[in-house]
Amino acid sequence: MPGTVLLLAASPLGRGCLVDAAGVLPVLAAVAPAVLSGTDTANVVELADPLEPQAVLTRLRAAAAAPGPLTVYVVGQLQLDRRQHLPHLALARTTPATVRYTALPWHWIREELRLRSASDTALVVDLHADAETWRHLAERPLDCGRTAAVYGRVAPGAGGRRGVAEPSYMKAVATLLRSGHRPPLAQLHEQALARIAESSAGRDLVLAGPGGYAPGPPYRPERPRPQAPDGLDLVAVRPQVPDGLGHAAAVRPQVPDGIGYAAAVRPQMPDGIGYAGVSAQVPDGLGHVAVRPQVPDGPGAVDPHADISAAVQAGRHADAEVLAARHEQAAMRAHGAASGEALHWAEVRADLAMFAGDAVRSCRAWLGVAGVRLTAGQAVDAPAVEAAVDRAHHQWTCIKDAARARELGPALAELRLRVPGRRQGALEDVQRQLRQLQAAR
């Protein structure tokens, strides 16, 4: 099966730039697509210094929806937004004051990959960070989720030194791949680190393995290590998730114009995923922070998401709903209705309703998730709360039955008063459409 590769290089223009991110793209582009992907054939999408986070999200979403292995190469710099202190990938127009609106929230990447499998999804990253962001990440590791194998590093900014840094880790990766062979990513990662050991020793935060967590101090090799020949086993960083724990990518296409979100082309749906003739869509760019239950370890372990995704692909939406509801009930009994585990399964069920073309059930489920989160004391501007309300809003706009839309509209309007979200005009949109529905009686 063909693989998919997304090459993303982004950094701010002007004095805020810490790294020459786009400078590595010609080296990566010179690598054969099959080598970049580690598959026989591959489709490559390249994004150089993008301007809008929504445009990046559209490409990422389409890549995540594609069947087959996915490798995302990311080069750039991370910054914290001033309001919530969440890491964002800075884009061309990002400044310290506009991070929240002009940069790509890192948790969007995690959320777009959350229904994929770590056995066929990989992130290779070379990231730089200013002093504040680097200290933040040293205490709170960059969360890439547990559905992707992540390799790379986060380097501190150059500080008072002149000029911008080179993405030396990614250049080392690209140089190694130009040999025409892609070794296992853990081995490729170690070889790249060995090549930059002298310049980065003791400075970088190293990401390695599922989720990208790197326990322990920054990478400090005892001595510079020469490039290892292909096939040589280097120091293992973390065990890979066993094959067979994966679940097929689900698709969350773009929202149309009308509630303030950027319009974009709907990504191609993988073969076999049924939507009952309904265009299943979710709001653009609203990655919600949900705790995904641990995938059982061990070679005989079964990831419940795999069975659910297989059912969705086969068009067995009722079976998928039954499985998810069973896991939600188990999570509620074990951890409580407001626990991260239970809320995760509630969100899965909301997505499943969307995939089945049941906008009423999906809207109602997202309203319920938002209510539980707010009742539990989560802030009205918390990413998970904003995402739930925004997704409820969009599913409400997909309801064809005017009576059902009128029924759910007041609850959505009440939530919108508390949770306006990132985009202007969302509350006014609900109120306007609700007035139109009332007038059409």
Side-chain angles (χ1 to χ4, degrees):
M1 181 178 292
T4 300
V5 174
L6 178 61
L7 306 178
L8 171 57
S11 57
L13 301 174
R15 293 190 300 174
C17 182
L18 298 178
V19 59
D20 179 20
V24 76
L25 281 180
V27 188
L28 281 170
V31 179
V35 177
L36 286 170
S37 176
T39 57
D40 291 337
T41 60
N43 301 311
V44 179
V45 177
E46 181 178 313
L47 290 175
D49 287 328
L51 299 177
E52 298 291 341
Q54 305 294 340
V56 178
L57 184 76
T58 299
R59 296 289 190 176
L60 175 64
R61 181 166 292 164
L70 169 65
T71 306
V72 181
Y73 295 86
V74 183
V75 188
Q77 70 186 60
L78 295 173
Q79 293 180 231
L80 301 178
D81 71 286
R82 292 179 174 178
R83 187 172 181 179
Q84 294 178 299
H85 290 87
L86 295 175
H88 291 61
L89 182 69
L91 303 183
R93 294 194 286 208
T94 299
T95 66
T98 64
V99 169
R100 178 172 168 83
Y101 304 102
T102 62
L104 182 78
W106 190 261
H107 63 264
W108 287 9
I109 297 177
R110 182 189 66 226
E111 286 303 305
E112 291 308 315
L113 301 180
R114 72 189 178 104
L115 292 181
R116 288 191 61 92
S117 162
S119 64
D120 65 1
T121 308
L123 281 167
V124 181
V125 303
D126 190 351
L127 301 168
H128 287 65
D130 58 31
E132 179 189 11
T133 305
W134 197 86
R135 287 193 300 269
H136 176 91
L137 294 175
E139 297 173 359
R140 304 172 184 84
L142 190 64
D143 185 4
C144 302
R146 297 187 176 274
T147 59
V150 185
Y151 294 95
R153 57 98 181 244
V154 181
R161 287 180 290 175
R162 295 175 60 86
V164 296
E166 281 197 344
S168 56
Y169 172 84
M170 193 63 75
K171 283 190 174 181
V173 168
T175 301
L176 290 164
L177 292 177
R178 288 186 69 176
S179 67
H181 169 66
R182 184 175 117 165
L185 283 179
Q187 182 177 324
L188 176 65
H189 171 69
E190 285 292 331
Q191 291 179 11
L193 288 179
R195 288 198 169 204
I196 65 170
E198 185 174 351
S199 62
S200 65
R203 300 173 59 246
D204 295 350
L205 298 173
V206 175
L207 307 173
Y213 291 100
Y219 182 66
R220 291 182 175 89
E222 290 86 1
R223 59 186 181 279
R225 289 182 280 179
Q227 178 186 354
D230 292 337
L232 179 62
D233 290 331
L234 299 177
V235 178
V237 181
R238 270 203 174 200
Q240 292 291 318
V241 175
D243 290 336
L245 296 187
H247 43 278
V251 179
R252 299 190 314 193
Q254 196 82 2
V255 65
D257 290 331
I259 56 174
Y261 305 109
V265 178
R266 183 173 186 240
Q268 184 65 37
M269 316 299 274
D271 293 338
I273 296 185
Y275 291 90
V278 178
S279 176
Q281 298 172 320
V282 297
D284 199 6
L286 300 157
H288 51 286
V289 181
V291 177
R292 179 175 177 168
Q294 292 284 339
V295 175
D297 293 325
V302 176
D303 180 359
H305 300 79
D307 291 337
I308 292 171
S309 292
V312 171
Q313 283 192 345
R316 295 184 287 105
H317 298 288
D319 293 344
E321 163 63 17
V322 169
L323 287 171
R326 185 183 306 159
H327 285 286
E328 182 186 17
Q329 290 299 316
M332 291 173 64
R333 288 193 298 269
H335 306 286
S339 65
E341 291 82 358
L343 285 168
H344 166 77
W345 287 109
E347 291 173 342
V348 168
R349 294 183 67 192
D351 279 340
L352 291 176
M354 175 192 69
F355 295 141
D358 191 339
V360 172
R361 181 159 55 91
S362 183
C363 176
R364 198 187 305 277
W366 283 118
L367 289 172
V369 168
V372 172
R373 289 190 179 280
L374 289 169
T375 302
Q378 295 189 24
V380 294
D381 62 351
V385 175
E386 289 183 342
V389 178
D390 285 324
R391 285 175 171 145
H393 186 162
H394 182 67
Q395 287 301 297
W396 182 69
T397 67
C398 295
I399 296 174
K400 305 301 182 184
D401 186 330
R404 305 301 293 275
R406 280 193 295 268
E407 174 190 342
L408 294 173
L412 177 61
E414 181 180 350
L415 266 179
R416 269 299 183 207
L417 281 169
R418 299 178 63 187
V419 187
R422 296 191 178 203
R423 300 291 175 177
Q424 294 182 350
L427 174 60
E428 291 77 5
D429 177 77
V430 175
Q431 293 172 335
R432 181 177 60 256
Q433 293 195 47
L434 195 52
R435 286 194 299 268
Q436 293 172 353
L437 287 167
Q438 297 290 355
R441 274 185 164 181

